[in-house]
Amino acid sequence: MRRPRRPACSKPQRTLLAGLASLVLLSGCAAQADSPDDVTLVMADSFPQTHPLALGGTNELIDTLQSDEAKALGIDLEYYANGQLGDQKDMVSILRSGVADIAPVSPAYVGPELQLSNIGDLPGYVGNAHAGASAIMDLLDDDGILYRTEWKPRGIRALWAASIPHYEAMTANIQVTEPSDMAGATIRSTGGAADRAVDFVGAAGVSMPLGEMYEAISRGTVDGTLASPVSVASYRLGEVLDYSTNGARLGAFTVTYAVSIDTWDQLNDQQREFITQASATAQKGAATQVEKAQIKGLNQMKDEGVEFHDVTDEERGMWNKMVEPVIDGWSHDLEERGLPAAEVVEDYETAIARYDNDEPTAE
């Protein structure tokens, strides 16, 4: 929802706003707009500002939307990090209800609302963070099939996307060098599309936060997880893991920072152009930071004693044989529900091919 420019709130007021997210629009900080085009945008976030997505993307966007240049265009921003306005599963509702104007939307967490958009998390596709983000954004532009079928009907549109790829099979005691090695193992999955990969290899899927994995592996409750070194390193899981694949392409995690269409339509052309350019910069920066975090995470896991199996070119076909039926099953099931999944697959594969060799710098 479009909001008039508001004066800065005191610390107690900000605390009250964070604690009472549903009352953000009714807070006592509101004042008359300085001009008809002045707007204060409320941005919700579910990631800490130390996360790679924030270091390269979100923080840059915040700085830009709170800059003097933004203020000269009548734009101001209020930012609420770490789920202060709601959980990841609530972000579409938060945007639709007007509690926030901008928020991260992750298809893996919102269940049936964005089933087709979950294609960005399927195994076998994303080779680097830039390709994953750019490809999904192609399908979310005004003519894109995901925007037309899922996002526009829900009153939201994409500003920029981020992809955390390099999902690998990470295990204790069981070394995975081919998909069949996971048969019978208890493997944590991220949910959504990733569950299909776990089921296909005959593993028992377990849903739990990554932060609980250290204890679960230590106790032998689970044998391992599908995850990216980008995330695993933060929890020092390398201390309890023994093995990991490298290059298996077992999926990704996609998050798209979205804006309410009602808010977007009420901005003037200059404001929209300014936010579009800032979003493109954020997307590029986030991809670069994710790739840097990937290298750092791999090195940390190696230092912690994890043994890696590098998937060779000869082995690639074996892993592709695993992911192809997973993708086909995903598409078939959604087509059975009347959703154009086959068209989404075709468009996404075209987009991935366009960007897959265009990798961000990760020195």
Side-chain angles (χ1 to χ4, degrees):
M1 180 180 295
R2 185 183 181 86
R3 296 171 178 81
R5 175 73 59 77
R6 287 174 277 188
C9 300
S10 66
K11 185 175 181 179
Q13 286 174 307
R14 290 197 300 269
T15 302
L16 178 60
L17 285 173
L20 301 174
S22 63
L23 301 180
V24 166
L25 304 184
L26 303 178
S27 75
C29 303
Q32 289 286 59
D34 296 327
S35 79
D37 286 336
D38 280 1
V39 59
T40 295
L41 302 174
V42 172
M43 181 174 175
D45 206 353
S46 54
F47 296 95
Q49 289 185 281
T50 55
H51 192 281
L53 298 187
L55 294 175
T58 312
N59 294 350
E60 177 72 23
L61 183 68
I62 294 167
D63 289 344
T64 302
L65 296 186
Q66 292 179 339
S67 66
D68 291 340
E69 185 179 0
K71 288 179 173 60
L73 293 173
I75 299 172
D76 203 354
L77 180 75
E78 293 180 1
Y79 176 71
Y80 299 90
N82 293 320
Q84 291 178 348
L85 297 187
D87 296 330
Q88 287 182 318
K89 63 181 176 60
D90 301 320
M91 290 301 171
V92 174
S93 298
I94 286 171
L95 290 170
R96 192 159 47 209
S97 65
V99 169
D101 302 294
I102 300 172
V105 174
S106 304
Y109 287 119
V110 297
E113 288 205 86
L114 299 174
Q115 295 179 85
L116 292 169
S117 300
N118 208 207
I119 190 167
D121 295 350
L122 284 170
Y125 281 137
V126 182
N128 66 76
H130 174 73
S134 298
I136 205 71
M137 283 299 290
D138 274 10
L139 275 63
L140 287 170
D141 65 24
D142 287 349
D143 296 322
I145 185 169
L146 292 182
Y147 178 69
R148 290 185 282 106
T149 59
E150 288 193 328
W151 290 58
K152 187 176 181 179
R154 287 164 177 80
I156 56 177
R157 63 180 295 128
L159 291 176
W160 63 279
S163 176
I164 300 178
H166 311 297
Y167 268 58
E168 306 290 346
M170 302 178 178
T171 53
N173 303 317
I174 304 167
Q175 184 173 21
V176 176
T177 60
E178 58 183 64
S180 62
D181 290 333
M182 287 184 279
T186 303
I187 301 293
R188 172 204 172 258
S189 174
T190 55
D195 288 346
R196 292 177 174 271
V198 172
D199 292 342
F200 182 80
V201 298
V206 176
S207 176
M208 70 170 62
L210 197 58
E212 297 178 9
M213 279 295 296
Y214 193 104
E215 183 176 357
I217 294 175
S218 299
R219 293 184 173 183
T221 306
V222 298
D223 297 305
T225 182
L226 298 187
S228 168
V230 173
S231 303
V232 165
S234 300
Y235 298 97
R236 305 197 67 84
L237 294 185
E239 295 177 355
V240 291
L241 291 167
D242 297 316
Y243 305 103
S244 177
T245 57
N246 185 26
R249 288 196 180 191
L250 294 178
F253 179 79
T254 306
V255 55
T256 302
Y257 281 78
V259 62
S260 159
I261 291 177
D262 285 344
T263 295
W264 189 253
D265 288 345
Q266 293 179 61
L267 299 175
N268 62 42
D269 290 342
Q270 285 183 305
Q271 291 169 335
R272 284 194 289 264
E273 178 62 24
F274 182 79
I275 294 172
T276 298
Q277 291 179 0
S279 297
T281 300
Q283 178 170 310
K284 183 176 180 180
T288 299
Q289 285 295 328
V290 166
E291 291 300 315
K292 289 181 178 179
Q294 158 72 4
I295 295 172
K296 182 178 179 180
L298 279 174
N299 290 333
Q300 179 178 319
M301 290 175 69
K302 289 176 181 177
D303 290 343
E304 291 168 339
V306 177
E307 180 180 338
F308 283 85
H309 173 75
D310 297 325
V311 176
T312 65
D313 291 341
E314 291 75 18
E315 293 171 335
R316 171 55 50 199
M318 174 176 58
W319 288 94
N320 287 344
K321 286 181 181 178
M322 175 201 126
V323 302
E324 286 169 5
V326 171
I327 294 168
D328 290 344
W330 177 86
S331 177
H332 177 268
D333 288 350
L334 294 187
E335 287 282 344
E336 289 284 298
R337 300 172 200 167
L339 299 174
E343 184 180 351
V344 171
V345 168
E346 182 178 355
D347 288 358
Y348 189 67
E349 290 179 348
T350 299
I352 281 290
R354 182 180 303 122
Y355 297 111
D356 204 25
N357 293 321
D358 189 7
E359 190 165 357
T361 303
E363 295 90 349

